[in-house]
Amino acid sequence: MGGAGKILKKGLGEMGLNSGGGNINWFPGHMAAATRAINARLKLADLVIEVRDSRIPLSSANQDLQPRLSTKLRVIALNKKDLANPNIMHKWVDYFGSCKQDCLPINAHSRSSVQKLLELVELKLKEKIAKEPTLIVMVVGVPNVGKSALINCIHQVASSRFPAQEKKKRAKVGPLPGVTQDIAGFKIALRPSIYVLDTPGVLVPTIPDIETGLKLALTGSVKDSVVGEERIAQYLLAVLNTRRTPFHWRNVHDNNSKSPQNGTDDKHDYNLKDLLPKRRILPVASNVHYVEGVAKEVQCALYSSLSEFKGDLEDENELEILIEQQFEELQKALKISNKATEARMMVSKKFLTLFRAGKLGPFILDDVPL
């Protein structure tokens, strides 16, 4: 288990996890049914687009489906590339290439990015296109990796390609894991007919290890309520500290210290939940400025606390002490009152929101295998 995972060994029974792996206590019935449906339809699929989260290219793989997927034509789409470290992403592309596996980092909300994915899919299907009148492409992945967003963008691209095509219903999209609860499909090409099937994400009921479960929770593939926001925030702090990430924010800290006013002291009627993607709504400039100011305050607080830390980051007890201190500093940075009854929960939620929205920078949590 990694150093960041060790610190969370205490009370892991509450998560339904143990050091040898175990069940994570979230596997909705509709997902179990969807798993059976996926296995049945995989027999019909000519190509599978497996969507994974770019921040966890291995941890976001559905291990139960891997034996079946390895027998199919497959493209791994590493979605949310805008949230992943570009300096490391190319190493993952090289890794999958060394495994003879097609892989493409994408942003499911970008038509040009999805267009490149479709071009790769068509290239992979080139031989079959000459033989089969109808081809089926299947989209699979764990919850909240952006399958429905990808399906909807594919639909937009397909509609522009084939304006005469009858308008099809878009896949239902939501911010919580497992929102797409039906297996639906629509035509994206006419000659030959190519259908894309959307499937609900299916998370394996057994997480192989504690840290994989925490990564899935941190990136949103497991509901926060299952693991607990505070424990997820503790894990994120452990990751940042053991990687010495706050030291990269020294310039932010120095510039913030020189600035006479950082813009976050004024009261501002703004909810960090507004960071979540919303269609057709452009962010208000003042809100963007405010959020960026909050993110800088958080970065400065973590840089200062880590710089002043004299302990051993490899010692989980000392690391835990540092994290406790950082919770206090984050409470100040986020301007949450000491009198707030759920101050620690509020700190955790806002801290996680900033991370998930990419406001603390791009990250890849998985290590590239040697």
Side-chain angles (χ1 to χ4, degrees):
M1 187 194 315
K6 287 182 179 178
I7 193 174
L8 300 177
K9 287 191 296 186
K10 301 176 182 178
L12 283 171
E14 299 173 20
M15 291 173 58
L17 291 169
N18 56 61
S19 59
N23 292 329
I24 192 157
N25 205 15
W26 184 70
F27 195 58
H30 76 266
M31 291 174 68
T35 301
R36 293 190 293 270
I38 287 173
N39 282 320
R41 294 198 179 193
L42 271 175
K43 299 176 183 178
L44 305 176
D46 296 289
L47 182 142
V48 175
I49 299 175
E50 184 186 2
V51 186
R52 300 188 189 180
D53 191 315
S54 287
R55 296 166 294 178
I56 48 173
L58 287 184
S59 297
S60 57
N62 185 308
Q63 296 302 328
D64 280 354
L65 285 178
Q66 292 310 305
R68 295 292 306 278
L69 295 178
S70 64
T71 65
K72 312 292 293 187
L73 277 178
R74 172 174 59 166
V75 173
I76 294 178
L78 295 177
N79 191 29
K80 306 184 183 182
K81 70 174 185 177
D82 52 313
L83 300 178
N85 188 334
N87 296 323
I88 301 176
M89 180 53 63
H90 71 91
K91 296 180 181 179
W92 277 103
V93 174
D94 291 342
Y95 164 74
F96 284 113
S98 69
C99 299
K100 310 299 181 185
Q101 173 58 61
D102 290 285
C103 166
L104 185 67
I106 68 165
N107 178 350
H109 295 284
S110 166
R111 288 185 62 168
S112 61
S113 181
V114 173
Q115 179 70 44
K116 292 179 181 178
L117 175 63
L118 290 179
E119 290 171 359
L120 178 57
V121 167
E122 291 176 2
L123 179 63
K124 296 286 289 181
L125 285 173
K126 190 172 183 180
E127 290 185 5
K128 287 197 173 188
I129 285 177
K131 301 175 183 177
E132 301 289 341
T134 300
L135 298 171
I136 294 177
V137 176
M138 208 171 169
V139 178
V140 300
V142 301
N144 212 27
V145 290
K147 298 179 306 303
S148 294
L150 173 59
I151 285 291
N152 289 337
C153 195
I154 289 175
H155 188 195
Q156 293 174 11
V157 173
S159 297
S160 63
R161 283 184 177 183
F162 308 102
Q165 180 181 234
E166 181 182 355
K167 190 174 181 181
K168 301 292 181 180
K169 188 177 181 181
R170 296 161 61 94
K172 183 180 179 182
V173 180
L176 296 177
V179 71
T180 313
Q181 297 186 10
D182 298 305
I183 290 184
F186 56 83
K187 183 181 290 186
I188 64 164
L190 296 177
R191 297 183 180 87
S193 295
I194 300 179
Y195 288 85
V196 172
L197 304 180
D198 182 25
T199 61
V202 179
L203 182 66
V204 293
T206 300
I207 303 298
D209 56 71
I210 293 169
E211 200 148 11
T212 297
L214 290 167
K215 289 174 183 177
L216 288 165
L218 178 56
T219 53
S221 286
V222 174
K223 290 181 180 179
D224 287 349
S225 58
V226 174
V227 179
E229 287 91 342
E230 185 178 331
R231 185 167 282 114
I232 301 172
Q234 285 177 320
Y235 173 68
L236 176 55
L237 285 171
V239 169
L240 295 177
N241 289 321
T242 54
R243 294 186 175 189
R244 277 73 171 174
T245 300
F247 286 138
H248 295 297
W249 299 331
R250 178 177 178 176
N251 289 338
V252 176
H253 174 269
D254 293 346
N255 293 335
N256 206 52
S257 299
K258 295 175 184 176
S259 176
Q261 182 177 3
N262 56 36
T264 60
D265 291 332
D266 298 333
K267 290 185 178 180
H268 198 289
D269 185 17
Y270 181 72
N271 193 327
L272 285 178
K273 288 183 179 178
D274 293 339
L275 287 171
L276 297 174
K278 291 182 178 179
R279 250 178 283 155
R280 298 191 182 92
I281 298 181
L282 295 176
V284 179
S286 60
N287 286 349
V288 172
H289 177 72
Y290 170 73
V291 173
E292 289 177 349
V294 172
K296 288 179 180 178
E297 290 293 323
V298 167
Q299 290 174 324
C300 290
L302 296 182
Y303 169 77
S304 297
S305 58
L306 184 57
S307 298
E308 297 167 3
F309 178 66
K310 304 303 180 184
D312 182 3
L313 290 174
E314 301 303 319
D315 184 308
E316 61 186 271
N317 292 322
E318 294 188 25
L319 178 58
E320 190 171 7
I321 292 173
L322 171 62
I323 289 175
E324 286 303 309
Q325 294 172 347
Q326 288 176 325
F327 262 101
E328 296 178 5
E329 294 302 316
L330 286 175
Q331 185 171 342
K332 296 176 186 176
L334 294 169
K335 295 179 172 55
I336 297 174
S337 171
N338 289 325
K339 296 180 181 179
T341 56
E342 296 182 350
R344 200 173 175 91
M345 177 67 74
M346 293 171 64
V347 168
S348 299
K349 287 184 175 182
K350 292 191 174 185
F351 182 46
L352 292 174
T353 299
L354 287 171
F355 171 80
R356 289 165 176 168
K359 300 304 178 181
L360 299 181
F363 292 90
I364 294 183
L365 301 172
D366 283 341
D367 294 324
V368 181
L370 296 176

